[in-house]
Amino acid sequence: MSRSSPRALVAVAALLAVPWVIQFNAPVDLTAVMSWGLLNTNPWHVLTLPGYFDETQGLETLPWSLQVWPLGFGFYFGALLSAASGVATGREDVRVTVGLLALSAITSVIVWWGLLGRGAAGTVPVGVLATAMVGWWFYYPVLGSVGTPSPPRE
């Protein structure tokens, strides 16, 4: 596999709509922690990542698990750009795409773990599962070749 397929690009782009963590607050009230912000259902409200940081007096006032949130979005966006460049130009190192997706999934787990540590019962780590499924389905051949020596070039 030398580059992402158009279907892989669509799958990576679709991860933008998948919540990292879903927190059930009440039977009809949930908060979805997305890679790009928060979505609440009661009342319906969207708060982007920059807006969230404005309302909380900045990144340094947040717990460590929420400080990695924008870093995770950066990893995801880098993976999306890498896959898009592979489709658009035919040039991509899919190991970079897979690595950035993995780092994004790890940061979503850190956010989830931090919410659990602060007593947020009823949280479900949806993002890491969705990212793992995309990585496995579209990039499995790359995962099998990581760490194997490449033949010498002449």
Side-chain angles (χ1 to χ4, degrees), residues 7-22 32-39 46-50 69-70 72-81 101 104-105 108 126-132 134:
R7 288 181 15 193
L9 174 59
V10 169
V12 171
L15 289 173
L16 196 60
V18 176
W20 276 9
V21 178
I22 294 177
V33 179
M34 311 293 280
S35 62
W36 47 265
L38 293 172
L39 175 72
V46 173
L47 188 61
T48 63
L49 200 53
W69 186 10
F73 178 71
F75 289 143
Y76 165 75
F77 194 69
L80 181 62
L81 287 177
L101 281 175
S104 174
S108 73
V126 179
V128 68
L129 300 173
T131 304
V134 168

Side-chain angles (χ1 to χ4, degrees), residues 8-103:
L9 174 59
V10 169
V12 171
L15 289 173
L16 196 60
V18 176
W20 276 9
V21 178
I22 294 177
Q23 179 177 342
F24 296 95
N25 304 320
V28 294
D29 181 18
L30 66 89
T31 300
V33 179
M34 311 293 280
S35 62
W36 47 265
L38 293 172
L39 175 72
N40 199 323
T41 61
N42 190 16
W44 279 96
H45 182 69
V46 173
L47 188 61
T48 63
L49 200 53
Y52 179 78
F53 292 132
D54 286 344
E55 291 200 16
T56 58
Q57 288 88 38
L59 186 64
E60 62 278 350
T61 63
L62 297 173
W64 181 78
S65 63
L66 291 178
Q67 289 181 7
V68 300
W69 186 10
L71 186 61
F73 178 71
F75 289 143
Y76 165 75
F77 194 69
L80 181 62
L81 287 177
S82 180
S85 74
V87 171
T89 66
R91 299 187 59 155
E92 171 190 12
D93 187 346
V94 290
R95 296 171 299 180
V96 171
T97 306
V98 171
L100 289 170
L101 281 175
L103 289 170

Side-chain angles (χ1 to χ4, degrees), residues 102-139:
L103 289 170
S104 174
I106 290 168
T107 55
S108 73
V109 169
I110 292 170
V111 170
W112 170 68
W113 194 259
L115 289 171
L116 281 180
R118 285 186 294 288
T123 58
V124 181
V126 179
V128 68
L129 300 173
T131 304
M133 287 173 52
V134 168
W136 177 79
W137 187 264
F138 292 101
Y139 297 104

